Amino acid sequence: MTKLIIQIPCYNEERTLGITLSALPRQVPGIDRVEWLIINDGSRDRTVEVAKEFGVDHIVHFPTNQGLAKGFMAGLEACLRAGADIIVNTDADNQYCADDIPTLIQPILHGQADMVIGARPIWDTRHFSLTKKLLQNFGSWMVRLASNTNVPDAPSGFRAFSRQAAMQLNVFNSYTYTLETIIQAGQKGMAIASVPIRTNPNLRRSRLVRNIPSYVFRSAMTILRIFMLYKPLRFFTWLGAIPFSFGTLLGIRWLLLFFLVDPTRSRVR
């Protein structure tokens, strides 16, 4: 028997969770059993009640809000305990088209991938600002550089994991899991695939992108921490190259002045 569990991190999602759950499948080709799981990340509204009304099979509770990354990891652990062979992660705001779940898991079912990431049509998504589109593409390029993978949409939260892949992941970042899991998978030699997916109309503002300056700063810090953790030699080589270059230029200037201008000078004024 092959079991698929679809997990959804939730924080105060009573308004959109019902729409998301109503679109999720209970039957998927190649899968014997499909179950749903939500991570209630300290919600203060009727998120849990809505989940129960729609027949969610598993609920993970956090008494207080722990953030997206911790919620994601808690979901993976709960799915593994529940015997999941494949885990699909999606968002509670119905951003991703649930009809694409069979497409998302196909590379895993065929043994072609350990992790599959849904690539959104970013440049055709109307509710994404130009700044956000550029940042999404820049972040994906940085992740490709750090992970030696070819993932076109690294920030996408619509992704599938084999049981073996989920058991090997461990997110240290507290802001988001999307970038770090790709880099970990690349470092561990997992097979990563990407498939095109569709998105639904926007139902609410992004929780991660509350304003552009904050998103830019936090994303930049996330990428820097990821580089420091997973590519320390390359990161500190680049960082050290800046003062080294300035020092080299100052040394060359002193040598030129000493040999060509005044050999009696002991310092540069």
Side-chain angles (χ1 to χ4, degrees), residues 1-206:
M1 177 178 290
T2 303
K3 180 187 285 190
L4 165 67
I5 298 184
I6 305 170
Q7 72 168 33
I8 310 175
C10 298
Y11 177 59
N12 295 334
E13 300 287 5
E14 66 172 344
R15 191 172 65 87
T16 59
L17 182 58
I19 299 172
T20 303
L21 292 173
S22 64
L24 292 185
R26 278 296 189 180
Q27 293 182 336
V28 175
I31 300 295
D32 299 301
R33 183 174 178 82
V34 178
E35 296 179 356
W36 302 343
L37 177 146
I38 72 159
I39 303 98
N40 174 37
D41 192 12
S43 298
R44 298 185 299 272
D45 62 359
R46 295 186 64 257
T47 293
V48 173
E49 287 78 0
V50 171
K52 291 178 178 179
E53 290 170 3
F54 279 84
V56 167
D57 303 279
H58 311 278
I59 300 177
V60 177
H61 287 283
F62 283 163
T64 58
N65 182 248
Q66 300 293 307
L68 182 59
K70 289 187 178 180
F72 169 79
M73 284 305 304
L76 286 190
E77 293 168 5
C79 289
L80 291 172
R81 289 195 301 269
D85 299 293
I86 301 175
I87 301 168
V88 166
N89 185 86
T90 190
D91 288 354
D93 62 357
N94 200 41
Q95 175 184 174
Y96 307 108
C97 181
D99 291 339
D100 289 334
I101 288 177
T103 303
L104 190 70
I105 67 171
Q106 280 303 305
I108 296 178
L109 285 175
H110 293 159
Q112 299 169 341
D114 303 300
M115 178 192 300
V116 185
I117 300 170
R120 297 165 293 179
I122 291 177
W123 290 106
D124 296 327
T125 303
R126 294 184 178 181
H127 62 270
F128 282 5
S129 67
L130 177 60
T131 303
K132 185 175 180 180
K133 292 175 181 178
L134 293 172
L135 288 172
Q136 298 276 29
N137 280 272
F138 176 72
S140 297
W141 175 78
M142 292 290 288
V143 170
R144 289 195 295 272
L145 187 66
S147 62
N148 295 320
T149 63
N150 190 28
V151 177
D153 187 9
S156 172
F158 194 46
R159 49 184 67 190
F161 306 88
S162 68
R163 181 176 182 86
Q164 291 73 24
M167 291 174 66
Q168 297 182 62
L169 295 176
N170 187 25
V171 177
F172 299 100
N173 185 270
S174 60
Y175 180 51
T176 181
Y177 62 89
T178 55
L179 310 182
E180 189 173 352
T181 49
I182 296 173
I183 294 176
Q184 276 194 23
Q187 294 289 319
K188 294 176 183 293
M190 298 183 195
I192 306 175
S194 181
V195 297
I197 59 165
R198 295 163 291 176
T199 55
N200 297 314
N202 191 27
L203 295 180
R204 64 161 172 77
R205 294 184 62 183
S206 171

Side-chain angles (χ1 to χ4, degrees), residues 181-243:
T181 49
I182 296 173
I183 294 176
Q184 276 194 23
Q187 294 289 319
K188 294 176 183 293
M190 298 183 195
I192 306 175
S194 181
V195 297
I197 59 165
R198 295 163 291 176
T199 55
N200 297 314
N202 191 27
L203 295 180
R204 64 161 172 77
R205 294 184 62 183
S206 171
R207 299 275 172 79
L208 287 178
V209 190
R210 296 180 180 177
N211 60 75
I212 294 299
S214 173
Y215 177 72
V216 171
F217 176 77
R218 298 192 70 171
S219 296
M221 291 300 100
T222 297
I223 292 172
L224 282 175
R225 282 195 294 267
I226 287 173
F227 259 96
M228 289 174 62
L229 185 62
Y230 294 101
K231 293 287 186 179
L233 179 60
R234 182 181 299 181
F235 176 81
F236 287 107
T237 298
W238 288 357
L239 192 63
I242 298 173

